Amino acid sequence: MMTRHQSRQEAFCLLFEKSFSDMTLEEIIEGATETRDLQPNEFTMQLAQGTVDHVEELDALNWKLSRISKVSLAILRMAAYELMYVPQVPINVTVDEAVELAKQYAGEDEYAFINGVLGAVIRDMDPQMKDKKAK
């Protein structure tokens, strides 16, 4: 059984690959299933597909796309999706997981940048959504 952390890592890898390809998420998953035995669980699929489905809205959250590495952008998009559309996951868990992914996959100081950007996303969130996620 895959942990939520592992699910986020898998979703991040799919989203990162998508940032270099015109393939659909389904095609990327099919390729990953064949080449690296990916077996995405429901949470992986929710994060990856939800992020892809809402990418325009997520990118409108006021970050400069040209100045963000593809790794950080994939992490930010996924974490912002989780903050905005997955109410059962507490805010602090989402941010902590994003920071951990950044420490593992991004440049040396990018985790602090990701933490700061997600802090701004949280400040701009609907107060009712913040209340739901805090419980």
Side-chain angles (χ1 to χ4, degrees), residues 108-128:
E108 190 172 307
D109 294 328
E110 289 187 57
Y111 71 90
F113 168 73
I114 287 173
N115 190 47
V117 171
L118 292 177
V121 170
I122 292 163
R123 283 189 296 278
D124 292 342
M125 280 175 63
D126 179 349
Q128 289 180 338

Side-chain angles (χ1 to χ4, degrees), residues 3-84:
T3 66
R4 288 244 171 150
H5 178 75
Q6 292 166 324
S7 296
R8 284 182 185 92
Q9 284 181 308
E10 290 293 346
F12 159 74
C13 289
L14 293 169
L15 294 167
F16 182 67
E17 186 172 343
K18 177 87 176 99
S19 70
F20 289 99
S21 172
D22 289 333
M23 292 190 306
T24 66
L25 185 60
E26 293 78 19
E27 292 169 329
I28 292 170
I29 291 169
E30 185 178 315
T33 301
E34 293 172 6
T35 59
R36 59 181 174 98
D37 295 326
L38 172 72
Q39 295 183 2
N41 64 19
E42 186 177 329
F43 190 60
T44 299
M45 293 303 299
Q46 178 186 13
L47 290 177
Q49 189 63 59
T51 301
V52 168
D53 290 347
H54 294 276
V55 73
E56 288 179 17
E57 180 183 349
L58 298 170
D59 285 352
L61 291 174
N62 210 12
W63 47 54
K64 299 211 183 297
L65 299 178
S66 63
R67 299 182 68 188
I68 301 174
S69 73
K70 290 192 183 291
V71 170
S72 291
L73 185 57
I75 294 167
L76 281 170
R77 284 174 171 164
M78 185 177 69
Y81 169 78
E82 191 172 339
L83 286 169
M84 296 168 65

Side-chain angles (χ1 to χ4, degrees), residues 93-104:
V93 171
T94 299
V95 174
D96 288 348
E97 288 288 335
V99 167
E100 287 305 312
L101 285 171
K103 285 179 180 178
Q104 185 173 357

